[in-house]
Structures are given as C-alpha cells and as structure tokens.
Amino acid sequence: QVQLVESGGGLVQAGGSLRLSCAASGLTFATYTMAWFRQAPGKVRQFVAAVSRSGGSTYYSDSVKGRFTTSRDNAKNTVYLQMNSLKPEDTYVYYCAASFSTSDSAYGSWGFWEYDYWGQGTQVTVSS
C-alpha cells in the first residue's frame, strides 16, 4: 500500500531553519505531483508548496514564498521542504501529499481535494 512518511519536524527558534523530508513507497513516485500542507487543530488544512513530477516546476503559497523551498529526489522517492527564516506563525503540523498527475507542472496545485495520498504529519514549532 501507499505510504508517505514525514520526518524532520521539531522545535526551533524564530529565524531558524528546518528541513522536512517525506519518503514515499508503494507508488510510482515520478508520476505524482507532491505537495506540502499544514494544519493547526480545528483549522482548515493550508497549502504550503508543490513540486511537479520531474521537480522542474514549483508553486508556493504567498505566506512562505521566498522562505521555503520544496524539491524532490525521484531516485530516492523523497520530497523535501527546506524552511528558512521561520516565524512563530509557521507553527503547524506539516503534511506531505501526493497527486497522480499527467502534466509536469505544479502551478495551481493548491487544492487539498486534488491529492490522493497523505502522510501522518510532523509537528513544527517555532518559538519567539
């Protein structure tokens, strides 16, 4: 079965950095757009970033643009989220997600309903 397993979350001070990883198994990884979402308890899941099948196209929410970078390694079936200049308002559970895609573009891939598979999430806490 398909599994997405996130790692790399933790506690960091404001201004610091973290790198999240998401290892995928049970799917043909290079045929999926991969994305990161985040969610606070009782809140709607928010789109953070997406990367296309080849890694050549990325798409970010305005709230993280310029601070976060997503990338993927298809040889390792892994997607990454490098988070720099972290702020307390970046405190969330972060989820990776996979969407089967026939195009190699991440543009506009922000809807949670587009994604077929989800990881269990990893907590990121940014202290002030």
Side-chain angles (χ1 to χ4, degrees):
Q1 73 277 21
V2 175
Q3 282 193 309
L4 303 178
V5 180
E6 301 97 336
S7 60
L11 174 64
V12 64
Q13 288 190 331
S17 298
L18 281 175
R19 188 175 85 150
L20 305 183
S21 300
C22 172
S25 60
L27 74 171
T28 306
F29 187 67
T31 64
Y32 284 78
T33 296
M34 298 299 295
W36 294 92
F37 288 78
R38 62 189 187 184
Q39 188 172 24
K43 302 293 186 180
V44 175
R45 194 163 291 192
Q46 299 178 4
F47 171 77
V48 176
V51 58
S52 66
R53 300 183 313 176
S54 70
S57 168
T58 54
Y59 186 64
Y60 298 92
S61 70
D62 288 343
S63 61
V64 307
K65 198 174 297 181
R67 300 188 298 124
F68 291 11
T69 303
T70 189
S71 61
R72 66 192 293 162
D73 185 338
N74 285 350
K76 295 182 178 180
N77 283 10
T78 301
V79 61
Y80 305 99
L81 184 68
Q82 177 67 44
M83 305 185 294
N84 298 329
S85 302
L86 282 161
K87 306 175 183 179
E89 52 264 42
D90 293 318
T91 295
Y92 289 95
V93 177
Y94 284 73
Y95 298 89
C96 72
S99 172
F100 178 76
S101 179
T102 57
S103 73
D104 190 27
S105 173
Y107 182 76
S109 299
W110 57 268
F112 66 87
W113 56 87
E114 301 178 37
Y115 291 84
D116 306 301
Y117 303 105
W118 294 84
Q120 82 289 348
T122 186
Q123 176 71 46
V124 172
T125 302
V126 185
S127 63
S128 57

